[in-house]
Amino acid sequence: MTSIAQFVGYAFVFYVGLRLLRSAFSRSPLENIPGPSSDSYITGNVGKMFHARQAMPFQKQLVELYGRVCTIRGLLNATYLYTFDTRALQSIYLKEQDSYEESETLLTNFRLFLGPGLPATIGDQHRRQRKMLTPLFSSKHMREMTPIFTNIIHKLEDAISAQVKDRPKEVDMLNWMGRAALELIGQGGLGHSFDPLTEDVSDEFTDSVKAYFPTLSQLHPLVRLLLPKMVKIGPGAFRRKILEMLPEGPWQAMRRISDALGKRSHEIVDAKKKALRQGDEALKQQVGEGRDIMSVLLRENMMASEEDRLTDEEVIAQVSTLVLGAMDTTSNALARILHQLALHPEVQERLREELVQARDDGTGTLRDLDYEEVMELPYLDAVCRETLRVYPPVPVLMRVVIKDTILSLSAPIRGRDGQLIDAIPVKAGMRILTDFRACNTNKDLWGTDADEWKPERWLKPLPRALEDAHIPGVYKHLMTFIAGGRACIGFTFSQLEMKVVLAMLIPTLNFALPDKPISWNAAPVVYPSVGESRHASMPLIVNRIKI
């Protein structure tokens, strides 16, 4: 163990030495861009930028003090560009997206722990996977998903109602949203049921999914920085043996999580393949009756040409990828909507009136809505869009420049030397942090009330400046679901999930604030907790409404 620690120490010292030499003999073109001073040579401004409670105030301060473009200091005092300029976002995520890529650290994390799924791949491999997966999230498939979603949320509604049948009670709605989101992607995405939504059930795969991001965040930042280099040392069996020798801690926890996800993913894919070989009758006996995304993917993959076909390893990796991608973001977005409705009871009541009217079958009984009906409700859509605008689950994302280029700006900024700058030379290796929340709440585009949560803004014409800005997001006018070749592939799935959950719960359940403060924490996906605690939870006072 001592030799391993020494090796890691020597590797880090060597890395720091290289960075010092490079910074001593080269000057970054970003040095003329304004920004805050560094807090530390080792960690720069990273301590604030990624701190659970300091990150969001710090990011807001950057926007208020420096505007659309600034710099911050990263690890070892490296200069990072920070921007929400619309033209810069167009270049990074759309027009020149081949010049920018996910960070190697993030790609390595996904590839190491989940396998070669969509977020872990780049270039032709990523495009090939995306080509195969994109049609599975079409409107046609979403229509087929709607009855599955509705049946699941009926169980959720019954379970919550049973908790509050006698009187209003405090209920952890984040827990219920997480369980529902997992079952929605389980049945709709994988044709597999993880949770009956009736009582707490312990499941290794479910527990691993929930623990993935919190455990990953416990790995030391410097170790994560060196991870892309470390995974190239020796064969996989050697690295595995070294990992097993490490003391108990986050690394061992991540090893167990990765093993559990891989094992269950393999089992799910094998079961699907067996059912496909046995024919349609066997598929109809499975959860989802063969209409789930994984069943359709396997059918399409078998018929694909050799050059487009996904390998077994790639297919298995999509299972954990789909679950992780769908669970945290959607459940936390739903929790944020419920929190906002509790903060604004008049909005909650207006939404309830729209939903009750839409679901009334003419006799006072609530009916289920089909895909078109739930997707076209104007106020429901406004509530969802406004929440995703002001509170994107992933508010900041990093890109790394992979080839030298010029980053044009929508309007000039003033450099430290007083000169106007309308374009920034960026060199391979530079890191760029893009602030989606700042873009979504840009007062120059949305007006002076841009920071305020007002669903009604979506029921009238949007500002002309916003239309003219041509924000590249796949979710119109917003960067919440990103843009271009790495945009969120399941954003239509997520939209449908959120709308079905709200359409089913809001007519019969009322949500109010508890007598304890709810805080929101910066993380790979922003999450709520109570007071000073970092434990993910969001209690609300819930009571049953008689229709």
Side-chain angles (χ1 to χ4, degrees):
M1 286 306 301
T2 303
S3 61
I4 296 173
Q6 287 176 336
F7 173 78
V8 172
Y10 291 147
F12 176 65
V13 171
F14 179 70
Y15 180 80
V16 171
L18 285 178
R19 290 296 299 269
L20 285 169
L21 286 172
R22 184 180 299 172
S23 61
F25 292 101
S26 63
R27 178 176 171 80
S28 169
L30 303 184
E31 294 299 328
N32 193 35
I33 309 297
S37 59
S38 176
D39 297 318
S40 158
Y41 183 82
I42 298 298
T43 60
N45 303 120
V46 167
K48 291 178 181 175
M49 176 57 66
F50 300 108
H51 188 276
R53 294 295 169 85
Q54 295 178 21
M56 287 183 278
F58 178 64
Q59 291 158 13
K60 186 174 183 180
Q61 183 183 51
L62 290 178
V63 172
E64 291 175 347
L65 290 178
Y66 302 104
R68 292 173 288 110
V69 183
C70 69
T71 56
I72 66 164
R73 296 292 177 169
L75 292 175
L76 303 180
N77 233 28
T79 305
Y80 294 179
L81 191 65
Y82 191 92
T83 184
F84 63 95
D85 182 272
T86 54
R87 192 169 179 183
L89 295 178
Q90 288 171 9
S91 296
I92 295 168
Y93 289 101
L94 202 60
K95 293 181 178 179
E96 295 186 74
Q97 57 186 296
D98 289 340
S99 298
Y100 306 88
E101 193 53 86
E102 296 270 16
S103 72
E104 192 178 3
T105 300
L106 187 62
L107 290 168
T108 302
N109 281 329
F110 280 126
R111 192 161 52 244
L112 181 64
F113 298 121
L114 301 179
L118 198 63
T121 56
I122 58 176
D124 291 339
Q125 185 181 19
H126 181 86
R127 283 187 283 270
R128 180 167 51 81
Q129 290 189 15
R130 200 172 189 90
K131 179 181 178 182
M132 182 65 70
L133 291 166
T134 296
L136 307 182
F137 295 93
S138 66
S139 296
K140 175 181 178 296
H141 281 110
M142 293 305 100
R143 287 187 186 90
E144 295 175 352
M145 292 295 102
T146 306
I148 297 174
F149 287 7
T150 300
N151 289 336
I152 293 169
I153 306 307
H154 270 305
K155 293 180 181 179
L156 175 66
E157 180 191 3
D158 290 343
I160 298 174
S161 295
Q163 281 191 264
V164 300
K165 62 181 179 180
D166 298 323
R167 57 183 174 81
K169 289 183 181 177
E170 187 175 279
V171 178
D172 184 358
M173 290 307 300
L174 179 66
N175 177 56
W176 279 116
M177 292 302 98
R179 292 176 64 179
L182 180 60
E183 188 64 2
L184 287 165
I185 189 61
Q187 292 196 30
L190 307 176
H192 182 88
S193 178
F194 293 107
D195 189 338
L197 294 176
T198 54
E199 56 187 24
D200 287 328
V201 178
S202 180
D203 177 88
E204 187 180 27
F205 183 87
T206 302
D207 294 342
S208 297
V209 170
K210 292 177 180 177
Y212 182 89
F213 285 116
T215 306
L216 185 63
S217 67
Q218 292 175 27
L219 299 179
H220 196 283
L222 293 178
V223 175
R224 294 206 300 268
L225 182 70
L226 292 170
L227 195 59
K229 308 297 181 186
M230 294 166 64
V231 297
K232 297 176 183 177
I233 301 172
F238 169 76
R239 296 194 300 271
R240 173 78 183 199
K241 192 67 177 176
I242 295 298
L243 179 59
E244 290 173 350
M245 293 169 62
L246 294 176
E248 186 60 38
W251 275 110
Q252 295 294 356
M254 284 305 301
R255 177 181 61 82
R256 289 191 293 270
I257 289 169
S258 179
D259 288 348
L261 294 177
K263 180 174 179 289
R264 182 65 68 84
S265 297
H266 208 295
E267 291 170 354
I268 290 172
V269 171
D270 285 348
K272 287 292 170 190
K273 284 184 174 180
K274 182 179 179 181
L276 281 169
R277 287 193 296 268
Q278 292 175 345
D280 292 342
E281 286 304 313
L283 279 175
K284 288 180 181 178
Q285 300 305 312
Q286 292 203 326
V287 174
E289 300 180 354
R291 294 175 293 172
D292 60 277
I293 290 170
M294 186 54 62
S295 294
V296 178
L297 170 62
L298 288 171
R299 277 198 299 266
E300 294 296 323
N301 198 46
M302 286 190 294
M303 295 185 292
S305 64
E306 188 67 31
E307 63 180 15
D308 289 335
R309 191 174 302 147
L310 305 186
T311 66
D312 286 349
E313 186 184 19
E314 288 177 300
V315 171
I316 291 168
Q318 306 307 332
V319 174
S320 298
T321 297
L322 282 171
V323 173
L324 280 168
M327 182 180 164
D328 262 14
T329 51
T330 302
S331 61
N332 290 7
L334 276 165
R336 178 72 85 165
I337 292 173
L338 293 178
H339 186 205
Q340 289 302 116
L341 293 177
L343 285 166
H344 303 273
E346 73 287 354
V347 174
Q348 183 176 174
E349 186 55 38
R350 181 175 174 180
L351 178 60
R352 183 172 293 115
E353 290 173 1
E354 178 183 77
L355 293 170
V356 169
Q357 183 177 355
R359 292 184 59 193
D360 189 345
D361 69 354
T363 67
T365 301
L366 296 177
R367 65 182 181 88
D368 296 338
L369 301 177
D370 62 28
Y371 174 77
E372 278 75 16
E373 289 174 320
V374 76
M375 293 302 290
E376 292 174 4
L377 290 171
Y379 201 60
L380 174 61
D381 185 67
V383 168
C384 292
R385 283 184 182 274
E386 184 68 351
T387 306
L388 292 170
R389 182 186 75 85
V390 182
Y391 304 109
V394 181
V396 175
L397 201 60
M398 179 183 285
R399 283 292 184 262
V400 177
V401 183
I402 57 174
K403 58 184 178 183
D404 296 0
T405 187
I406 302 295
L407 187 63
S408 298
L409 305 178
S410 60
I413 62 169
R414 194 167 296 279
R416 292 180 185 272
D417 62 3
Q419 298 297 309
L420 291 177
I421 302 170
D422 59 10
I424 303 169
V426 291
K427 296 184 176 296
M430 284 184 179
R431 283 166 165 74
I432 303 177
L433 288 163
T434 52
D435 190 331
F436 297 155
R437 186 182 186 277
C439 180
N440 289 352
T441 56
N442 186 343
K443 292 182 179 181
D444 291 337
L445 305 181
W446 291 90
T448 56
D449 63 351
D451 285 328
E452 299 177 39
W453 187 78
K454 292 182 175 180
E456 60 272 16
R457 77 171 72 244
W458 293 95
L459 303 179
K460 55 189 178 183
L462 295 172
R464 182 59 184 268
L466 178 66
E467 300 282 356
D468 293 341
H470 302 297
I471 294 169
V474 67
Y475 196 41
K476 192 173 183 182
H477 302 308
L478 302 176
M479 286 299 297
T480 304
F481 292 107
I482 324 181
R486 297 191 76 91
C488 175
I489 197 170
F491 83 97
T492 54
F493 191 95
S494 178
Q495 281 183 282
L496 180 61
E497 281 185 88
M498 289 189 286
K499 290 185 175 183
V500 171
V501 169
L502 295 170
M504 300 293 288
L505 297 188
I506 297 301
T508 58
L509 298 170
N510 186 74
F511 302 93
L513 295 173
D515 59 358
K516 56 190 71 170
I518 295 172
S519 304
W520 287 83
N521 305 272
V525 178
V526 178
Y527 71 92
S529 62
V530 176
E532 295 302 315
S533 170
R534 302 286 174 82
H535 175 70
S537 68
M538 194 190 74
L540 293 178
I541 304 300
V542 183
N543 68 287
R544 179 81 181 172
I545 298 173
K546 293 183 179 180
I547 302 298

